[in-house]
Each structure stands twice: as structure tokens, then as C-alpha cells.
Amino acid sequence: MKEYVLKQKRDGSVITVRDVQMILLEMLKDIDVLCHRHGIPYYLSGGSCLGAIRHGGFIPWDDDADICMMREDYERFVKVIGELPQQYYAQSFALDPSYNVCIPAMKIRKRGTYVKEQNVLLRNKCKSGDGLFIDVFIVDHVSQDPKLDRRWRRKALLQMPLITLFENIGINPKRLKRRFVALAENYGRKNQGSELIGFELTWVFEFFKHPVVYRKDDIYPVRYVPFEDTMLPVPKNPKALLDVEVSVHHMEYPPLKEQRPKHIKDVEIHREYPER
């Protein structure tokens, strides 16, 4: 297997994508145990789902991991997250108002590790730490009327630049962030019973060209498939998800120049996060 180096240290040792993946794998296993204990359905999404289907584990060059759960399941998950082993800590807007609401709803991080992401505009503001993480996305009901759906997405999209601007000039726009989160929650409530689900409206990227929306019965009930040395859940029909989240050609390998890690700028895996 090709070695994808994320960092070369002064002593000549390296930290590879595979090193990071092995930590993420243990994190996924512990999250799965917790969700299984409480009957909380969730599934791998994006590159993590693609890895499960195309590679039977991580995509060799993938340096992150994503999971999704319906809002009602996420709310149950939040209530029991304290049962995760002590080496983990969670970050979300409900737990810390400095959390950036334009990123996934929650990050579950690992103590004793440190990661700096490539995206400087959405950098972590939470003082609890910068450990390696699993992204937790909320999925909610979506209108079956495309025009109405675009109207709500436009409302969210117009708020995102203002939130990001304030964040990056050192102001925490808590009131605006609460409105942004409430908008997403209200949209989901208004569409309860819809056959369509997708990423909640706080995930504003590529909203109009490629909204992340699929039929709920293509996702649930989830099914477990081999992932590295364990079994993890993917949608009932993973093709329906991957066609939307990745590409209709998702089973084809990308060009060699695109086979590279894209998320991590700096990483440490054997020490606590640095003081900031």
C-alpha cells in the first residue's frame, strides 16, 4: 500500500494518513458501541461511505471520517455522549457558543492528539482542544418542492458569509448563529413526513448546484458492511447517497493527482493539544 505522508518530524519519523486512519477507526468503533447500546441509527457518509463500499475500509488517501444521523437520533445521541470513553470530548454550538455553526453539527475529538485543518476561514475557536475528530452531520427532512427548498437554502446561504466575517475578525455573533441554527431546525420541522432527507441547512456549501438530498427509504434501515477489521453502517442503498455526495462515477478512481489527503495541514498523535 502506498504511504501518504502528512508530516515529517525533525527526528526523521513521519506521520502518515494510515496512522491517522487507525486512530479514526478506534473512534468509529467506540461511537458505534455507544449508538448500538442506545439503538441510535447512524451511517457513514461521503468519503467514509465510499471507502466502505469501494475499498472495504478507508480510501487509502482519505484523512478524515464523517457520520450522519437524523435530527431526532442526534438529539438522543447528545444525551448519552458522556458515556464515550474519557479520551474523547465533543464540540458543538450547544456545548460551546464559540463553535462555528457553518461546519458539521458536532466534532468528536480524541485527547492526546492535535490537528490543524486546511480551511483557515472555518478554524476551530473552541478552547477545549484541537484533537483528531469525527464529523457528525445532522440529516433532516427536506421539502419535495424544489422551488420552496431553494428559497429556504437561499435564506441560510445569505447568513453564512456574515457569520464567517464576524468569526474571522474576532467577534462571536452568538445571536446570528442562534438564528442560523433555528432556521435549519424550523425547516426540518416544516417538512416532517417528507420522503426526502438531506444535510440540515447549516451545511450551506454547494446548496444550489448539488444539494445533498436523497430519499429516506434509500438510507434507512442502515446496514452493516465490512470496514477495515470491523463492521460499520452504511445506507441501505449506498449508491443513492454516493451519487449525490460524491459522483455518479464514484466507483471509478480519481486521477492520480487527486489521490492525496486534503484536510490536514498539521498533525500530532502522541501529545496533548498545544496551548493557544
Side-chain angles (χ1 to χ4, degrees), residues 126-188:
C126 297
K127 300 300 183 183
S128 51
D130 292 296
L132 282 169
F133 59 85
I134 305 292
D135 275 327
V136 183
F137 288 85
I138 291 176
V139 173
D140 213 339
H141 296 276
V142 173
S143 174
Q144 294 175 232
D145 180 345
K147 290 183 179 179
L148 181 60
D149 182 59
R150 284 194 294 272
R151 192 178 308 154
W152 278 81
R153 293 181 187 278
R154 190 176 294 111
K155 292 179 184 179
L157 190 63
L158 290 173
Q159 293 183 35
M160 185 267 195
L162 191 56
I163 292 172
T164 303
L165 173 64
F166 280 124
E167 290 275 16
N168 284 282
I169 62 174
I171 299 173
N172 184 10
K174 289 185 282 188
R175 182 177 297 180
L176 184 57
K177 287 158 78 171
R178 283 193 290 269
R179 288 175 54 192
F180 188 62
V181 170
L183 176 72
E185 293 173 346
N186 290 338
Y187 182 60

Side-chain angles (χ1 to χ4, degrees), residues 99-104 122 159-161 163-164 180 202-205:
Y99 189 80
N100 193 319
V101 293
C102 298
I103 62 177
L122 300 179
Q159 293 183 35
M160 185 267 195
I163 292 172
T164 303
F180 188 62
T202 58
W203 190 250
V204 298
F205 304 98

Side-chain angles (χ1 to χ4, degrees), residues 21-33:
Q21 289 177 351
M22 290 301 96
I23 293 175
L24 296 178
L25 178 62
E26 292 306 310
M27 296 176 72
L28 287 169
K29 289 178 181 179
D30 287 335
I31 292 169
D32 186 71
V33 168

Side-chain angles (χ1 to χ4, degrees), residues 4-252:
Y4 295 87
V5 176
L6 290 170
K7 182 176 183 177
Q8 183 159 3
K9 299 184 177 183
R10 293 179 181 178
D11 63 4
S13 63
V14 297
I15 298 176
T16 68
V17 168
R18 193 60 176 168
D19 293 327
V20 169
Q21 289 177 351
M22 290 301 96
I23 293 175
L24 296 178
L25 178 62
E26 292 306 310
M27 296 176 72
L28 287 169
K29 289 178 181 179
D30 287 335
I31 292 169
D32 186 71
V33 168
L34 177 63
C35 288
H36 189 265
R37 181 188 305 150
H38 292 280
I40 299 173
Y42 77 98
Y43 55 92
L44 301 177
S45 67
S48 301
C49 181
L50 178 58
I53 301 304
R54 195 173 69 189
H55 302 268
F58 289 101
I59 298 172
W61 54 89
D62 196 8
D63 56 353
D64 77 339
D66 303 322
I67 65 173
C68 289
M69 54 185 73
M70 292 293 295
R71 183 177 298 280
E72 57 267 30
D73 298 319
Y74 175 82
E75 291 172 352
R76 290 195 295 136
F77 181 70
V78 169
K79 292 178 181 178
V80 300
I81 200 167
E83 297 179 22
L84 283 173
Q86 290 186 352
Q87 65 262 36
Y88 301 119
Y89 58 102
Q91 295 172 340
S92 71
F93 183 60
L95 295 171
D96 184 343
S98 64
Y99 189 80
N100 193 319
V101 293
C102 298
I103 62 177
M106 177 180 285
K107 289 181 181 289
I108 300 174
R109 294 185 182 266
K110 179 77 161 33
R111 301 187 194 279
T113 67
Y114 166 76
V115 64
K116 183 176 183 180
E117 297 183 74
Q118 292 284 358
N119 193 334
V120 296
L121 288 179
L122 300 179
R123 63 187 183 275
N124 179 30
K125 299 292 185 64
C126 297
K127 300 300 183 183
S128 51
D130 292 296
L132 282 169
F133 59 85
I134 305 292
D135 275 327
V136 183
F137 288 85
I138 291 176
V139 173
D140 213 339
H141 296 276
V142 173
S143 174
Q144 294 175 232
D145 180 345
K147 290 183 179 179
L148 181 60
D149 182 59
R150 284 194 294 272
R151 192 178 308 154
W152 278 81
R153 293 181 187 278
R154 190 176 294 111
K155 292 179 184 179
L157 190 63
L158 290 173
Q159 293 183 35
M160 185 267 195
L162 191 56
I163 292 172
T164 303
L165 173 64
F166 280 124
E167 290 275 16
N168 284 282
I169 62 174
I171 299 173
N172 184 10
K174 289 185 282 188
R175 182 177 297 180
L176 184 57
K177 287 158 78 171
R178 283 193 290 269
R179 288 175 54 192
F180 188 62
V181 170
L183 176 72
E185 293 173 346
N186 290 338
Y187 182 60
R189 279 195 295 268
K190 285 181 178 292
N191 290 289
Q192 288 289 324
S194 171
E195 297 177 349
L196 300 180
I197 60 174
F199 286 168
E200 68 164 344
L201 290 195
T202 58
W203 190 250
V204 298
F205 304 98
E206 299 186 76
F207 256 17
F208 297 104
K209 290 184 179 180
H210 306 288
V212 179
V213 175
Y214 20 65
R215 292 180 58 87
K216 186 175 182 180
D217 60 10
D218 276 325
I219 306 298
Y220 295 99
V222 300
R223 60 187 178 93
Y224 276 72
V225 299
F227 192 95
E228 301 292 343
D229 62 355
T230 189
M231 302 284 286
L232 291 176
V234 299
K236 180 179 73 174
N237 176 13
K239 183 180 185 303
L241 178 144
L242 293 171
D243 282 352
V244 174
E245 291 193 13
V246 182
S247 162
V248 293
H249 306 294
H250 56 263
M251 293 305 288
E252 301 174 11

